[in-house]
């Protein structure tokens, strides 16, 4: 069993996920770089350092999830932090701009059902499936932390404002993040009698492949709130949604 706390970050082979893993490694964690493609995961882990290890993990594949949980128990013997970062903004080619017009925009009035299902499979059902699979390990930790990557774009309160321009693009991706917020609260409520704390972090409009690098924030900035929540003390909150500036309305 590892003497260091162990953190698993999904979708950690690039972008915010890699930065979260790097930051946690810098804070003394053994970090597990979850990646659909194990070679990409190994490249990211090598860039982080000796405390990083690649783990093949496709959050939409039950067999991959089960194998990852088994490997973590066998090789590391513990899991103290789970950061569900893996996410997609749309299905299809990685270089397709987001948002875009027509059916590709994700607006529920026009988006193909297969596109909506693909977004939800990764962004919502993947979060639930991985959390359920890792819970036996997390329950054994003295003070486990679960952090889900949410988005202000999924804030129903914010999008309910008539003057909010984001309303025009509230579609499959944004709705999936609203669902992630609900899932976060559901896990927090179910686990509130345990030492496990479950919270959602908004990284802000960060420049990553998810938005075709249109974001205005660096990955270093985007990782900060997730890392803070991953390291909450005993008196920290659970069932919250926040960014670097504090609580965000659901």
């Amino acid at each position: 069993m590892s003497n260091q706390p162990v953190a698993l970050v999904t979708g950690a082979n690039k972008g915010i996920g890699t930065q979260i893993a790097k930051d946690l490694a810098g804070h003394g964690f053994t970090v597990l770089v979850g990646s659909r493609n194990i070679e990409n995961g190994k490249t990211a882990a090598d860039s982080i350092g000796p405390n990083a290890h690649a783990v093949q993990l496709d959050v939409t594949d039950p067999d991959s999830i089960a194998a990852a949980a088994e490997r973590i128990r066998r090789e590391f013997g513990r899991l103290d932090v789970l950061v569900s970062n893996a996410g997609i903004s749309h299905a299809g080619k990685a270089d397709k701009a987001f948002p875009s017009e027509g059916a590709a925009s994700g607006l529920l009035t026009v988006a193909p059902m297969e596109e909506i299902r693909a977004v939800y499979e990764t962004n919502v059902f993947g979060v639930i499936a991985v959390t359920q699979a890792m819970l036996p390990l997390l329950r054994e930790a003295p003070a486990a932390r679960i952090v889900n990557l949410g988005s202000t774009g999924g804030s129903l309160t914010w999008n309910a404002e008539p003057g909010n321009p984001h309303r025009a693009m509230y579609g499959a991706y944004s709705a999936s993040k609203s669902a992630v917020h609900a899932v976060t609260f559901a896990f927090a409520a179910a686990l509130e009698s345990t030492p496990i704390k479950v919270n959602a972090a908004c990284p802000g409009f960060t420049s990553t492949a998810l938005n075709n690098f249109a974001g205005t924030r660096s990955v270093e900035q985007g990782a900060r709130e997730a890392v803070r929540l991953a390291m909450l003390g005993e008196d920290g909150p659970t069932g919250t949604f926040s960014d670097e500036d504090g609580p965000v309305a659901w």
Side-chain angles (χ1 to χ4, degrees):
M1 179 174 176
S2 174
N3 291 322
Q4 289 182 302
V6 176
L8 169 64
V9 185
T10 70
N13 57 289
K14 61 182 178 181
I16 296 174
T18 300
Q19 188 63 45
I20 292 171
K22 181 179 180 180
D23 290 349
L24 289 175
H27 285 290
F29 283 82
T30 294
V31 292
L32 308 180
V33 177
S35 175
R36 285 183 300 176
N37 181 299
I38 190 63
E39 294 305 320
N40 291 343
K42 288 178 179 177
T43 298
D46 288 345
S47 74
I48 294 168
N51 286 334
H53 308 268
V55 173
Q56 198 284 323
L57 179 56
D58 181 344
V59 303
T60 69
D61 182 348
D63 291 337
S64 173
I65 295 170
E70 180 183 357
R71 180 187 168 195
I72 294 168
R73 180 173 291 281
R74 182 179 68 251
E75 293 188 21
F76 302 94
R78 64 188 291 175
L79 184 64
D80 301 84
V81 169
L82 169 62
V83 180
S84 282
N85 164 77
I88 59 173
S89 57
H90 55 73
K93 295 182 179 179
D95 61 353
K96 185 171 66 174
F98 175 80
S100 54
E101 298 179 355
S105 70
L107 293 178
L108 299 190
T109 50
V110 293
M113 286 305 301
E114 60 268 25
E115 173 106 3
I116 298 170
R117 288 192 178 97
V119 170
Y120 269 68
E121 282 292 341
T122 296
N123 295 2
V124 183
F125 302 130
V127 171
I128 298 170
V130 172
T131 304
Q132 288 183 346
M134 301 302 163
L135 264 178
L137 280 161
L138 292 166
R139 287 183 184 274
E140 295 170 13
R145 303 290 179 255
I146 298 172
V147 183
N148 298 327
L149 270 290
S151 172
T152 303
S155 166
L156 296 178
T157 300
W158 186 56
N159 282 286
E161 292 292 333
N164 179 3
H166 185 269
R167 288 162 62 101
M169 64 182 77
Y170 187 93
Y173 174 76
S174 298
S176 77
K177 287 302 182 179
S178 300
V180 168
H181 303 163
V183 165
T184 300
F185 183 80
F187 274 110
L191 295 167
E192 63 186 347
S193 64
T194 78
I196 301 173
K197 297 182 185 296
V198 189
N199 295 286
C202 175
F205 192 35
T206 304
S207 178
T208 68
L210 184 139
N211 55 44
N212 219 22
F213 299 97
T216 56
R217 286 165 57 83
S218 68
V219 291
E220 290 82 3
Q221 291 172 312
R224 286 175 189 163
E225 185 63 6
V227 172
R228 185 187 74 83
L229 291 172
M231 298 176 61
L232 284 176
E234 184 180 353
D235 59 348
T238 190
T240 69
F241 174 38
S242 58
D243 61 17
E244 290 175 82
D245 297 322
V248 178
W250 294 108

